[in-house]
């Protein structure tokens, strides 16, 4: 197993834990992003931290995105009596569509699998044009294009 394979396994496992804590039956890109932010000392985690996104800041931004999305539909989270997610209890969450797309985007950015680095996973997530992650980054005040360019520069220099 390569170091990238180990990193990917760790992020997918942690992402599964994040999905379960959210009560989600699927591991989505936002769960991977939370897992990446939790991998202290890794290059992708440092890149997120450089724009103010540690694990808690990212979780807070995801909550704001959830509230904002409900508001766009005319629903106020404050007026709802929504119970806190109790976690998904039926086995491990499946890999969701946004995760599959992020993996494809990250993997297709290299010619050979052996060239994959942890930052490729972050790059695959950041390249999403629509969805929860791009909306969350906007609400967090993060310039997604600039963060993506930072990741690309780091990968080019490696």
């Amino acid at each position: 197993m390569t170091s990238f394979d180990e990193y990917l396994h760790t992020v997918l496992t942690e992402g599964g834990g994040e999905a379960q804590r959210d009560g989600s039956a699927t591991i989505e890109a936002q769960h991977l992003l939370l897992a990446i932010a939790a991998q202290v000392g890794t290059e992708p985690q440092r890149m997120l931290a450089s724009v103010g996104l540690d694990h808690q800041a990212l979780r807070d931004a995801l909550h704001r995105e959830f509230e904002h999305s409900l508001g766009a539909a005319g629903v106020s989270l404050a007026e709802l009596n929504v119970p806190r997610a109790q976690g998904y209890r039926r086995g491990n969450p499946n890999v969701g569509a946004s995760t599959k797309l992020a993996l494809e985007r990250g993997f297709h950015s290299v010619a050979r699998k052996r060239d994959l680095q942890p930052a490729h996973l972050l790059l695959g997530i950041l390249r999403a044009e629509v969805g929860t992650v791009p909306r969350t980054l906007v609400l967090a005040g993060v310039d997604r294009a600039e963060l993506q360019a930072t990741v690309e520069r780091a990968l080019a220099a490696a």
Side-chain angles (χ1 to χ4, degrees):
M1 188 182 287
T2 68
S3 61
F4 176 79
D5 291 332
E6 291 174 15
Y7 177 80
L8 179 60
H9 176 75
T10 300
V11 169
L12 285 170
T13 301
E14 275 298 309
E18 295 288 352
Q20 286 179 322
R21 283 186 283 284
D22 283 349
S24 177
T26 57
I27 304 167
E28 299 297 343
Q30 66 266 22
H31 300 123
L32 294 185
L33 201 57
L34 283 164
I36 290 170
Q39 301 303 308
V40 177
T42 63
E43 186 175 25
Q45 178 269 327
R46 288 190 298 271
M47 290 174 184
L48 290 174
S50 75
V51 295
L53 291 178
D54 63 13
H55 188 268
Q56 188 58 52
L58 187 52
R59 181 153 293 287
D60 293 345
L62 284 162
H63 182 75
R64 285 192 308 276
E65 187 280 329
F66 181 65
E67 286 183 316
H68 186 265
S69 292
L70 285 176
V75 177
S76 168
L77 186 59
E79 294 174 9
L80 292 176
N81 187 16
V82 179
R84 178 149 171 81
Q86 296 299 311
Y88 184 73
R89 304 220 190 282
R90 286 189 247 153
N92 293 325
N94 296 316
V95 174
S98 64
T99 291
K100 290 176 184 176
L101 290 170
L103 292 171
E104 286 178 21
R105 287 188 298 266
F107 292 176
H108 287 141
S109 61
V110 296
R112 300 175 305 222
K113 182 183 182 278
R114 68 180 178 184
D115 294 333
L116 284 169
Q117 298 176 40
H120 285 105
L121 181 55
L122 179 57
L123 183 61
I125 294 168
L126 294 174
R127 284 186 171 167
E129 295 292 326
V130 296
T132 300
V133 170
R135 289 190 307 267
T136 298
L137 295 177
V138 167
L139 290 172
V142 174
D143 184 336
R144 184 178 56 86
E146 181 55 36
L147 180 56
Q148 181 178 326
T150 298
V151 174
E152 290 169 346
R153 284 190 298 272
L155 286 167

